[in-house]
Amino acid sequence: MAKRKISFLDIITIIGLMMTIAFIFYGYKTKIFVSSEALHHFLGRFGIFADIIFILVQAVQVVIPIIPGSIGCLAGVIIFGPVKGFLYNYTGICLGSILAFLLARRYGKSFVERVSKPGLWQKYGSWLDSGKFDKWFAIAIFLPVAPDDFLCYLAGITKIPLKKFSIIILAGKPFSIAAYSMGLNLVFTALIQYVLPVK
């Protein structure tokens, strides 16, 4: 069997993966993925580039689904306000979703299995043979409780065109992101007022 040649995309992917792992390790040490305050302090060091860095952080949390996406959505609203926070969450998550789709399309099912939790295959793997993947995928993306990160990878190994996938993501994500962002912000605000009541 002939060995597959390493392409430029493979090299870029490897470099990007190494940088991502390094960033995740740094984020773990500095707690930027689990603390809104730590993330705010981290972004403050980048000045006018803080917005772009945050969007990249949100994209990374889709491609590497070990990072809780809800933390990023909440942090976006707290740090940038409801409007800009929503827009940055939306932009980063959509970019990450499309990148996850492209990675799965490039490297296939074995790659998706390695980066996904086994339990998700048991629950959603049957969608691949249902003949209605597009329909179920669109409904799931619209809902704020579905495992969107995994489903974007799963979509990459189907025959759904990139254009159709992108339309579903761009049209379906606003509701779920708004629900996460605003809902978590309300809960966070209520907890803060409970723990630190205004005198």
Side-chain angles (χ1 to χ4, degrees):
M1 182 181 293
K3 294 183 178 180
R4 186 173 71 86
K5 294 182 178 180
I6 298 178
S7 67
F8 178 73
L9 179 59
D10 293 326
I11 296 174
I12 294 298
T13 300
I14 292 171
I15 294 174
L17 181 60
M18 292 175 63
M19 293 176 64
T20 299
I21 292 174
F23 179 66
I24 290 173
F25 178 76
Y26 172 81
Y28 172 78
K29 298 292 288 185
T30 58
K31 303 184 184 303
I32 65 173
F33 294 130
V34 295
S35 169
S36 297
E37 183 179 350
L39 179 58
H40 188 243
H41 176 72
F42 170 75
L43 293 173
R45 291 155 42 187
F46 293 94
I48 60 174
F49 297 104
D51 302 34
I52 297 175
I53 297 298
F54 176 78
I55 289 172
L56 292 177
V57 168
Q58 283 297 71
V60 167
Q61 66 86 11
V62 177
V63 178
I64 310 295
I66 60 173
I67 304 170
S70 57
I71 296 295
C73 286
L74 175 60
V77 174
I78 293 174
I79 296 169
F80 300 105
V83 177
K84 289 178 68 175
F86 167 78
L87 290 175
Y88 293 164
N89 283 331
Y90 175 69
T91 302
I93 291 173
C94 286
L95 287 174
S97 299
I98 293 172
L99 180 56
F101 174 89
L102 292 174
L103 286 171
R105 177 136 301 178
R106 172 69 178 179
Y107 297 108
K109 183 179 178 180
S110 60
F111 169 77
V112 177
E113 289 177 333
R114 286 196 297 269
V115 300
S116 305
K117 297 179 181 178
L120 294 176
W121 275 102
Q122 297 175 0
K123 187 172 183 179
Y124 297 97
S126 60
W127 288 14
L128 297 173
D129 303 317
S130 67
K132 298 180 180 179
F133 180 85
D134 299 11
K135 175 183 176 181
W136 296 121
F137 176 70
I139 294 174
I141 291 299
F142 183 77
L143 300 175
V145 294
D148 295 357
D149 304 340
F150 170 74
L151 293 178
C152 289
Y153 277 116
L154 193 65
I157 59 175
T158 69
K159 295 182 179 180
I160 182 174
L162 173 60
K163 181 178 180 180
K164 186 173 185 179
F165 170 85
S166 299
I167 291 174
I168 292 174
I169 290 296
L170 294 173
K173 279 293 185 181
F175 176 78
S176 60
I177 293 175
Y180 264 126
S181 301
M182 306 309 173
L184 289 172
N185 187 47
L186 289 174
V187 172
F188 178 79
T189 302
L191 287 174
I192 291 297
Q193 292 177 347
Y194 178 78
V195 175
L196 299 173
V198 179
K199 296 181 179 181

